[in-house]
């Protein structure tokens, strides 16, 4: 992995034991089940609010890293042979917040983005959330969206007014 970008704290000081502890437990369980850590897997030298960017090769699609949402800098990957297999594996999860596609093939971007059962898709980009965009998932990752004008729809209702034969 080439050094790039920035890392940010995982949480506020009052949350210190929650998110970091969850990531550490997930990583411990992943290693126990045979996942191979390529890089990372510990708190960052910047201090307790930071966790090293971590890359993990998953050995089975039953891995805990595929069953749990990881709200931290951990990227789990699994080797696949075909695009269809990749979609089948990705969609077998009961989670559906964000999916990622790394390709320059525009047709593949559209196919895979449509095929992923997620609320957001990052294409060649790991950070998909911005204040001006809709944020939301599907399946056990949520229902509906927040942010942007689409988030306001949760607080409105649509009314049809059909006028006929006024004269």
């Amino acid at each position: 992995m080439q050094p790039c970008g920035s890392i940010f704290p995982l949480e506020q000081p009052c949350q210190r034991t929650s998110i970091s502890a969850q990531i550490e437990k997930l990583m411990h369980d992943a290693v126990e089940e045979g996942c191979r850590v390529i890089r990372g897997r510990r708190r960052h030298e910047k201090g307790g609010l930071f966790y090293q960017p971590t890359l993990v090769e998953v050995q089975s699609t039953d891995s805990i890293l595929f069953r749990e949402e990881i709200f931290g800098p951990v990227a789990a990957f699994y080797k696949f042979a075909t695009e269809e297999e990749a979609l089948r594996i990705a969609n077998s999860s009961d989670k559906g917040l964000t999916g990622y596609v790394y390709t320059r093939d525009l047709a593949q971007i559209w196919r895979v983005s449509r095929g992923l059962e997620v609320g957001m898709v990052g294409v060649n980009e790991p950070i998909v959330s911005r204040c001006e965009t809709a944020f939301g998932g599907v399946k056990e990752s949520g229902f509906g969206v927040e942010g942007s004008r689409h988030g306001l729809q949760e607080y409105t209702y649509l009314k049809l007014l059909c006028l006929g034969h006024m004269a």
Side-chain angles (χ1 to χ4, degrees):
M1 290 191 323
Q2 296 294 324
C4 64
S6 300
I7 64 168
F8 301 96
L10 294 172
E11 61 229 42
Q12 299 300 316
C14 63
Q15 300 170 307
R16 183 170 294 171
T17 59
S18 60
I19 298 173
S20 295
Q22 289 172 11
I23 293 173
E24 287 174 342
K25 179 169 180 1
L26 278 172
M27 290 306 304
H28 175 269
D29 292 349
V31 169
E32 288 290 312
E33 69 183 22
C35 293
R36 187 169 70 98
V37 178
I38 307 297
R39 174 165 261 165
R41 194 195 166 195
R42 61 183 58 77
R43 290 187 188 229
H44 198 276
E45 58 269 6
K46 285 188 173 187
L49 297 181
F50 294 84
Y51 196 84
Q52 289 181 343
T54 301
L55 181 64
V56 183
E57 182 178 10
V58 174
Q59 305 301 318
S60 164
T61 58
D62 293 327
S63 171
I64 191 166
L65 297 180
F66 282 1
R67 294 190 316 270
E68 298 294 328
E69 289 180 309
I70 307 167
F71 293 103
V74 177
F77 72 92
Y78 179 81
K79 295 177 183 175
F80 55 89
T82 66
E83 185 178 298
E84 292 78 18
E85 180 187 12
L87 285 170
R88 182 183 53 73
I89 292 167
N91 293 334
S92 68
S93 172
D94 57 2
K95 310 293 190 271
L97 187 58
T98 309
Y100 301 92
V101 180
Y102 289 86
T103 181
R104 290 193 172 125
D105 182 336
L106 192 56
Q108 185 176 43
I109 290 169
W110 286 108
R111 267 192 327 272
V112 173
S113 295
R114 276 194 298 263
L116 283 170
E117 297 170 2
V118 295
M120 302 175 287
V121 178
V123 179
N124 302 327
E125 174 62 43
I127 301 173
V128 299
S129 178
R130 296 186 175 54
C131 62
E132 64 274 4
T133 61
F135 179 94
V138 299
K139 300 180 183 179
E140 289 185 11
S141 295
F143 181 78
V145 297
E146 59 187 59
S148 81
R149 66 179 178 85
H150 301 287
L152 293 175
Q153 291 175 342
E154 301 292 321
Y155 302 98
T156 63
Y157 65 93
L158 180 66
K159 181 185 283 186
L160 170 68
L161 177 60
C162 180
L163 299 174
H165 306 294
M166 295 291 294

